[in-house]
């Protein structure tokens, strides 16, 4: 939309703007409506600078056809970005009857994968290895030593024999399953 | 709100005076007599290679209280033969002076836009239907008529002797010069039709 903006400053134009600043005060930061240095500055998505009171009045003047006063791109109150300079001593300036300048929007950085709640760290979380890998999942579980789960029970205890039994049952289930896979 | 309109007009005035176009005397802005700067007089020169070339056109500019959020009211003070400008009142049909106005436009851009309008008439969106019809149906007569009006009213220097003679002829019959010219222009310079028109 801003590509057809005749006044959008390209890199070269920016350079001439710099020289303009030196010769003509701070004309580069003039509001496009009142032609004065922009106060309570906001910038539109198409890159044009305005005083917020000026732009607000422009938008109020024609509520059903809100276009940028410079390039006529579509604009709206929500799509303006306020500009906060460092030496902004007029921050306490009550903007009279006007609604306040739109707030700056700060979005959270995006999460690059992973579910923070599960504590899997940076590794990808995978729900399934697919049907063929099902028995290996059984074997793999017996080799997990350092994952915080309680280790295998001591030999001789009833729990040990139960686990042995269960282990054998699952082993046989796994063997049958693989056998079935080979036949099928 | 210390009137934003007055502040802006002051700045725009400087802008026009400093502009390149003013240096080439293509546009000019006068503050007029009013103290509040709400009534100005603009001047544009007729663009070259048009029937308006060599002419100087004076414009009445009225700045509304709500400027720059609403467009200035502009009309031609100098009489002109153009499809988008009323030959009787000087009213202008130009979108940026109506719904296409934008607050970032200035008196300089308005004057330049009007100059561009002189160079490229828009007969499908006419202000003066008679002129627009002539522009479409008899482009040669339109061109000559516009040239003649430029010479008669805008200090143009290109005479159209045939048309001047016809105006003089009607004046000899006791008609007022401007009325005679209008009647002839409206009737494609047919003297009989124009006379009939004047007598009716």
């Amino acid at each position: 939309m801003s590509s057809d903006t005749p006044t959008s400053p390209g890199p070269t134009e920016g350079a001439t703007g710099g020289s303009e600043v030196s010769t003509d005060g701070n004309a580069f930061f003039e509001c496009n409506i009142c032609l004065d240095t922009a106060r309570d500055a906001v910038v539109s998505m198409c890159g044009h600078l305005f005083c917020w009171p000026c732009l607000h009045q422009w938008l109020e003047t024609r509520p059903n056809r809100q276009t940028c006063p410079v390039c006529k791109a579509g604009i709206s109150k929500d799509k303006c970005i306020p500009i906060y300079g460092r030496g902004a001593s007029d921050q306490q300036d009550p903007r009279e009857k006007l609604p306040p300048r739109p707030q700056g929007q700060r979005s959270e950085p995006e999460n690059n994968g992973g579910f923070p709640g599960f504590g899997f760290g940076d590794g990808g979380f995978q729900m399934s290895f697919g049907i063929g890998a099902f028995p290996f999942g059984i074997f793999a579980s017996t080799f997990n030593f350092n994952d915080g789960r309680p280790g295998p029970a001591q030999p001789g205890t009833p729990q040990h024999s139960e686990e042995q039994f269960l282990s054998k049952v699952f082993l046989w289930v796994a063997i049958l399953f693989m056998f079935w896979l080979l036949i099928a | 709100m210390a009137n934003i309109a007055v502040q802006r007009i002051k700045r725009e005035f400087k802008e026009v005076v400093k502009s390149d176009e003013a240096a080439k005397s293509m546009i000019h802005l006068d503050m007029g007599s009013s103290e509040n700067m709400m009534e100005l007089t603009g001047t544009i020169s007729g663009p070259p290679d048009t029937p308006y070339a060599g002419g100087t056109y004076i414009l009445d500019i009225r700045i509304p209280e709500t400027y720059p959020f609403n467009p200035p009211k502009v009309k031609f003070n100098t009489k002109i033969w153009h499809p988008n400008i009323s030959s009787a009142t000087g009213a202008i049909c130009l979108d940026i002076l109506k719904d296409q106005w934008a607050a970032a436009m200035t008196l300089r851009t308005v004057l330049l836009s009007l100059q561009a309008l002189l160079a490229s008439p828009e007969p499908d969106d006419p202000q003066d239907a008679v002129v627009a019809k002539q522009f479409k149906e008899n482009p040669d007569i339109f061109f000559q008529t516009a040239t003649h009006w430029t010479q008669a009213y805008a200090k143009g220097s290109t005479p159209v002797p045939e048309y001047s003679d016809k105006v003089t002829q009607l004046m000899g019959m006791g008609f007022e010069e401007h009325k005679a010219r209008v009647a002839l222009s409206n009737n494609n310079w047919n003297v009989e039709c124009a006379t009939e028109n004047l007598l009716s």
Side-chain angles (χ1 to χ4, degrees), chain A residues 24 30 32-37 50 53-55 57-59 61-62 65 67-70 72, chain B residues 1 4 7-8 11-12 15 18 66 68-71 96 98-106:
Chain A
D24 199 15
E30 276 178 3
N32 278 291
I33 292 178
C34 66
L35 310 184
D36 211 334
T37 304
F50 306 97
C54 292
L55 185 65
Q57 195 173 344
W58 170 249
L59 295 175
T61 307
R62 40 195 72 201
R65 209 176 57 81
T67 56
C68 171
V70 180
K72 299 196 173 170
Chain B
M1 192 180 300
I4 180 173
Q7 288 296 322
R8 240 193 79 142
R11 285 168 180 275
E12 291 190 34
E15 185 197 39
K18 278 197 291 184
T66 50
F69 301 102
N70 287 303
I96 62 154
K98 292 168 186 162
D99 57 327
Q100 289 297 309
W101 170 256
M105 292 174 179
T106 64

Side-chain angles (χ1 to χ4, degrees), chain B:
Chain B
M1 192 180 300
N3 200 339
I4 180 173
V6 176
Q7 288 296 322
R8 240 193 79 142
I9 293 298
K10 280 183 189 162
R11 285 168 180 275
E12 291 190 34
F13 197 81
K14 283 186 204 152
E15 185 197 39
V16 172
V17 170
K18 278 197 291 184
S19 67
D20 295 343
E21 295 86 13
K24 291 181 222 149
S25 63
M26 286 158 67
I27 62 172
H28 181 74
L29 196 59
D30 255 326
M31 222 179 286
S33 53
S34 69
E35 285 174 18
N36 58 1
M37 305 188 70
M38 287 300 149
E39 286 179 21
L40 306 166
T41 308
T43 311
I44 57 174
S45 59
D49 304 318
T50 67
Y52 313 104
T56 304
Y57 294 91
I58 296 173
L59 300 146
D60 290 340
I61 304 170
R62 283 227 332 273
I63 306 294
E65 277 289 314
T66 50
Y67 188 81
F69 301 102
N70 287 303
K73 293 178 169 48
V74 187
K75 73 182 196 71
F76 272 80
N77 192 311
T78 308
K79 295 196 184 309
I80 184 168
W81 192 252
H82 186 287
N84 304 108
I85 301 158
S86 165
S87 59
T89 64
I92 303 166
C93 178
L94 184 60
D95 57 356
I96 62 154
L97 293 177
K98 292 168 186 162
D99 57 327
Q100 289 297 309
W101 170 256
M105 292 174 179
T106 64
L107 293 177
R108 176 179 156 266
T109 61
V110 166
L111 292 177
L112 292 174
S113 298
L114 287 170
Q115 216 176 21
L117 180 69
L118 295 191
S120 46
E122 195 58 66
D124 292 324
D125 188 17
Q127 176 76 31
D128 195 314
V130 176
V131 184
K133 189 163 176 279
Q134 189 183 66
F135 180 88
K136 280 177 154 178
E137 293 173 4
N138 296 298
D140 290 341
I141 294 181
F142 165 79
F143 192 93
Q144 296 283 51
T145 309
T147 310
H148 176 71
W149 279 55
T150 304
Q151 195 229 343
Y153 298 115
K155 303 179 196 136
S157 51
T158 316
V160 184
E162 186 199 344
Y163 289 1
S164 304
D165 292 348
K166 285 181 178 175
V167 173
T168 318
Q169 190 185 335
L170 283 192
M171 283 164 71
M173 293 161 71
F175 295 113
E176 196 257 320
E177 179 185 347
H178 176 61
K179 281 182 180 164
R181 183 171 289 116
V182 170
L184 284 163
S185 302
N186 284 341
N187 291 286
N188 289 339
W189 297 91
N190 182 316
V191 178
E192 282 162 31
C193 291
T195 316
E196 232 170 76
N197 194 256
L198 282 166
L199 290 171
S200 62

Side-chain angles (χ1 to χ4, degrees), chain A residues 143-160:
Chain A
F143 295 106
N144 284 341
F145 298 116
N146 293 323
D147 59 356
R149 288 185 291 182
Q154 294 299 317
T157 61
Q159 198 188 351
H160 176 72

